[in-house]
Amino acid sequence: MGIEHFMDKAVKLAVDNVKKGGGPFGAVIVKDGEVVASGTNRVTAENDPTAHAEVKAIREACSKLRTFDLSGCTIYTSCEPCPMCFSAIYWAHLDAVYYAADHHDAAKAGFDDAFIYDEIKKQPGERKINFKKLDFEQHFQPFADWISNENKTKY
């Protein structure tokens, strides 16, 4: 089974999800030529703004494979990942991403993430949502404890 087969699965998931009242996004994660997980956009169904297709698929794959590191896996998604999913893909260490529609197509359908990219570039005090670093004496303590912990699981 090749790239087109897995892309077809992701797009069909998205189409079926729309028919069920969900968002137009679907994703599958493949390892060694087999689908190990899939996800659809469940934002409104679960009242969870992080329940994007890619994130749902990553969570399922990690659970099934009993790891937080999806090296050796590829994700096929019906649309170019948004900034959150883009980050999750990197954190999960997926090997490759294949997508059908791009972010311009998503914007035409009302899913425009350009403002998030613009916000990231701004200084914390200039963002639409207020970000303010507090002068907190113990701000580095969690990191110091992490650094000195010889039994940590690195990721």
Side-chain angles (χ1 to χ4, degrees):
M1 290 182 243
I3 293 170
E4 298 214 0
H5 170 77
F6 297 120
M7 184 57 69
D8 185 60
K9 284 187 170 298
V11 171
K12 282 182 178 173
L13 282 169
V15 169
D16 290 344
N17 200 49
V18 170
K19 290 176 184 173
K20 295 175 186 173
F25 304 96
V28 295
I29 294 179
V30 175
K31 183 173 181 146
D32 299 327
E34 298 291 327
V35 173
V36 295
S38 64
T40 56
N41 182 285
R42 306 287 298 152
V43 170
T44 57
E46 296 179 8
N47 294 314
D48 179 356
T50 69
H52 289 202
E54 297 91 339
V55 171
K56 297 293 282 183
I58 288 168
R59 289 174 181 165
E60 182 180 316
C62 289
S63 179
K64 283 185 177 177
L65 298 174
R66 303 177 69 99
T67 183
F68 55 83
D69 185 340
L70 296 178
S71 295
C73 295
T74 300
I75 189 166
Y76 297 82
T77 181
S78 62
C79 186
E80 182 178 3
C82 74
M84 178 183 67
C85 295
F86 179 94
S87 298
I89 287 165
Y90 273 86
W91 283 118
H93 304 286
L94 287 152
D95 288 357
V97 179
Y98 293 95
Y99 59 92
D102 65 22
H103 67 276
H104 300 291
D105 297 317
K108 289 176 191 171
F111 299 93
D112 190 357
D113 299 324
F115 77 96
I116 295 173
Y117 292 108
D118 293 340
E119 286 290 298
I120 290 170
K121 295 175 193 172
K122 294 178 183 177
Q123 292 298 312
E126 298 171 354
R127 294 177 181 150
K128 182 179 176 182
I129 296 174
N130 188 32
F131 281 66
K132 183 167 174 53
K133 184 181 184 313
L134 297 178
D135 187 19
F136 188 71
E137 187 177 329
Q138 298 297 319
H139 73 277
F140 197 74
Q141 190 61 52
F143 296 115
D145 290 351
W146 171 260
I147 291 166
S148 66
N149 182 351
E150 294 179 12
N151 297 318
K152 64 183 166 250
T153 301
K154 293 182 181 181
Y155 59 98

